[in-house]
Amino acid sequence: MTRPVRIGNVSGFYGDRPEAAREMVETGDVDVVCGDYLAELTMLILAKAQAREGGVGWARTFLSQVEQILGTCVRRGIRIVANAGGLDPAGCAAAVREVAGRLGIDARVAHVEGDDLRGDLGAVVPPVTGDPVSANAYLGGWGITAALAAGADVVVTGRVTDAALVSGPAAWWHGWGPGDLDALAGAVVAGHVIECGPQATGGNYPFLDEITDRRYPGFPIAEVAADGSSVITKPDGSGGLVSVGTVTAQLLYEIGPPAYPGPDVTTHFDTVRLEPAGEHRVAIGGVRGTPPPPTLKVALNDDAGHRNTMTLVLTGLDVEAKAAHAEQLLFGIIDRSAFDEVDVRLLRFDHPDAAGNAEATAHLRITVKGRDRRTVGRAFSNATMQLALGGYAGFHTTTPPTDASAFGVYRPAAVPRAAVTHTVVLPDGTRHVVPDPPETAAVPGPGPRPPGGAPRGDGPGAGATRRVPLGTVAGARSGDKGGDANIGVWARDDAAHAWLDAYLTPERVRELLGAEAAGLGVAVHRLPNLRAVNVVVHGLLGDGVASSTRPDPQAKGLGEYLRSRLVDVPVELLG
């Protein structure tokens, strides 16, 4: 097959738009539909679901989508590939077969397993202490490739990389082998763009003025060619926007240094080039790949106990004094030492002489963690409510007393490839071990960043400036990478990029993010082909999203906060 393969994403997370699969099959003219249901937090959620009596360790919403599209897909030869198997891909595959049987459809279902390491953690580095509720190596796309080559209509996987949902089908379609590193890297980039669904087609996009079609965005399609180059698009007539900007935003989402290691290839994001290729079409090319690392990434989740949060509203005058008084009274009623961790944050939204009651309020957000559910739960929230008549003037809360919820701690790790048995179970039930790549190599570190403080090349000089929000000249998209936060920042033209590239040093980022980033490690990676830099703030999210006590635990709004900060921008960039 020499024409590009059209792969449409129909899920960016567990709980995404239910109609997306049906809409893609009806209007997308695709060869493969893929769905990404797994995140670090999702693995913890699935582990807790699996542990309950009668619970399952896979994404139930996938089954509903399969029921909508399976008949059409089998009839038209559209393949379905999804990581919805979570912690039990075999169980999920069996459930798909049950649906097919009930609908009278002869569907060939395969699954990929071997990522679940809970039975043997001895080779994991650093050594694992305790008993994690989930422990999964990130597998690549070759199990998917083998399943499709064996005629599977549906391929269910556990924890493969998000991009493997595209690189695996692309390798099957074009007949690539493990040595086709540039082609694989190109497919990884295409997979990274479409893995989060409508985030590539106008969703969460900062420049709203560019999106003229404000309907819910259509889900993205990657047309992957035989050389690994691709075009990103969406179904004809669907909402949203596909532009160099929307694709750039998603390329920068939740990445680290430019050398992006994966199980099949290390993809060099600083080689990616984007070009408009027609209305709602963006071409991706120039991507280079090198051999993958000798280890696989591992995500561990520990059951860390229980947590609870109560938010007290403070109104009008003396906000800081009221907050201090409330904290003192509360931990006089209930002993602070009863909790493993206490996090108290005063969130100021109030304005002097406010025009309305709501504009005069601040929040005192108190989060407690501990092993004893009863203490963390009603004992804590009921103690908070005892301040209702004996606390500060104007006391009220944002919620009634709340119960505790379980939370987990995320730990990144690695495992030698030899300790993982990547296995594909074909539609006829036969099992095949997927071999490791013939060559591996250490991931190169980022090169030295040129000194900041002065523009490079032909960028604007040190002339007149105006103090405006950074977002006047730059877009941003942010997210979580375990306990780290990532902020991709890009400019819309070369002149603005020359200034941005020089301006956003680690020191400047730390200054703009304020007290929360003080003392944290900040890395700024250059991506000149994308007119962008990628910022990683190490440790901002603590032990990961399930444990973080930030009001924005996944750092989704961090990029928009950075864009809101006032900076001195050369007047010549402001038009």
Side-chain angles (χ1 to χ4, degrees):
M1 300 177 185
T2 56
R3 71 169 176 86
V5 57
R6 283 175 59 92
I7 304 171
N9 172 278
V10 299
S11 177
F13 68 98
Y14 187 11
D16 206 351
R17 182 174 172 83
E19 300 84 8
R22 176 181 52 79
E23 292 169 354
M24 182 63 71
V25 169
E26 290 177 354
T27 65
D29 188 25
V30 293
D31 304 296
V32 180
V33 293
C34 69
D36 177 18
Y37 298 81
L38 302 183
E40 291 151 1
L41 176 61
T42 313
M43 303 306 284
L44 178 64
I45 292 170
L46 292 176
K48 293 182 180 299
Q50 188 179 48
R52 293 194 295 265
E53 184 176 355
V56 299
W58 41 268
R60 290 180 179 272
T61 54
F62 170 65
L63 213 59
S64 300
Q65 290 182 305
V66 165
E67 190 162 358
Q68 296 175 31
I69 66 171
L70 185 60
T72 303
C73 287
V74 170
R75 184 172 64 254
R76 291 169 47 188
I78 300 171
R79 310 301 178 100
I80 302 171
V81 179
N83 62 11
L87 296 174
D88 185 12
C92 185
V96 172
R97 292 187 192 97
E98 291 176 9
V99 168
R102 177 162 45 83
L103 297 177
I105 300 169
D106 182 17
R108 297 162 293 183
V109 183
H111 73 271
V112 176
E113 60 187 30
D115 59 294
D116 194 338
L117 304 180
R118 286 177 293 183
D120 184 3
L121 297 169
V124 175
V125 180
V128 178
T129 57
D131 187 19
V133 296
S134 70
N136 296 83
Y138 284 69
L139 304 180
W142 293 114
I144 296 169
T145 304
L148 293 173
D153 300 301
V154 182
V155 184
V156 175
T157 78
R159 179 70 277 188
V160 297
T161 63
D162 302 342
L165 302 173
V166 169
S167 65
W172 157 69
W173 186 272
H174 294 300
W176 297 336
D180 293 312
L181 295 174
D182 289 346
L184 288 168
V188 165
V189 169
H192 184 73
V193 172
I194 73 169
E195 70 189 34
C196 290
Q199 277 199 163
T201 57
N204 294 340
Y205 190 59
F207 298 117
L208 284 173
D209 59 300
E210 295 181 14
I211 305 174
T212 57
D213 189 336
R214 298 292 179 86
R215 292 176 297 160
Y216 194 88
F219 275 60
I221 298 168
E223 299 175 352
V224 184
D227 63 354
S229 64
S230 63
V231 171
I232 305 300
T233 185
K234 62 186 182 69
D236 291 342
S238 61
L241 171 71
V242 177
S243 69
V244 168
T246 68
V247 172
T248 297
Q250 182 55 29
L251 276 173
L252 298 173
Y253 182 62
E254 295 184 346
I255 61 172
Y260 189 80
D264 300 325
V265 63
T266 293
T267 302
H268 296 265
F269 272 58
D270 52 356
T271 64
V272 177
R273 295 188 179 275
L274 304 180
E275 292 182 0
E279 185 179 21
H280 300 302
R281 293 177 64 81
V282 172
I284 301 176
V287 186
R288 300 301 303 272
T290 54
T295 58
L296 298 174
K297 175 184 173 182
V298 175
L300 304 166
N301 279 298
D302 295 311
D303 181 357
H306 298 87
R307 62 183 290 171
N308 198 0
T309 298
M310 288 293 291
T311 301
L312 286 58
V313 182
L314 312 162
T315 308
L317 304 177
D318 306 319
V319 165
E320 292 185 4
K322 288 172 179 174
H325 184 48
E327 185 177 354
Q328 179 185 16
L329 286 176
L330 174 61
F331 292 111
I333 295 168
I334 188 166
D335 188 355
R336 185 187 288 259
S337 66
F339 307 106
D340 295 337
E341 182 181 339
V342 175
D343 183 85
V344 181
R345 296 175 186 251
L346 178 58
L347 309 177
R348 301 296 298 264
F349 317 120
D350 52 306
H351 304 286
D353 192 26
N357 193 152
E359 296 174 17
T361 61
H363 286 175
L364 184 65
R365 191 173 185 269
I366 305 172
T367 301
V368 295
K369 298 178 181 177
R371 286 288 172 181
D372 184 65
R373 181 187 182 100
R374 190 170 181 179
T375 302
V376 173
R378 289 294 180 162
F380 163 69
S381 57
N382 288 343
T384 304
M385 297 309 297
Q386 290 182 44
L387 305 185
L389 303 181
Y392 58 85
F395 174 94
H396 61 288
T397 61
T398 58
T399 64
T402 55
D403 202 354
S405 60
F407 79 99
V409 168
Y410 165 76
R411 289 184 287 162
V415 67
R417 290 176 178 271
V420 176
T421 306
H422 183 174
T423 303
V424 56
V425 182
L426 300 178
D428 64 2
T430 59
R431 303 172 64 86
H432 295 274
V433 174
V434 178
D436 289 329
E439 182 183 3
T440 61
V443 179
R449 178 181 171 86
R456 281 179 284 273
D458 299 324
T465 62
R466 186 183 307 157
R467 198 157 180 81
V468 297
L470 176 62
T472 307
V473 293
R477 177 165 291 169
S478 57
D480 62 299
K481 291 287 290 181
D484 301 337
N486 138 264
I487 315 171
V489 189
W490 74 94
R492 291 193 275 188
D493 59 55
D494 291 338
H497 169 249
W499 172 81
L500 179 72
D501 190 40
Y503 185 80
L504 276 187
T505 62
E507 296 75 21
R508 187 88 67 180
V509 170
R510 197 179 291 109
E511 173 189 330
L512 292 173
L513 293 182
E516 190 177 30
L520 298 180
V522 175
V524 179
H525 304 290
R526 303 180 65 221
L527 294 162
N529 286 359
L530 301 176
R531 298 191 185 121
V533 296
N534 184 50
V535 176
V536 180
V537 185
H538 295 282
L540 185 73
L541 307 181
D543 291 319
V545 53
S547 178
S548 176
T549 54
R550 297 183 79 247
D552 175 17
Q554 290 182 282
K556 299 295 188 183
L558 190 63
E560 287 302 288
Y561 172 61
L562 183 66
R563 292 182 72 235
S564 75
R565 297 308 309 272
L566 297 179
V567 300
D568 295 318
V569 175
V571 170
E572 62 192 276
L573 298 181
L574 301 177

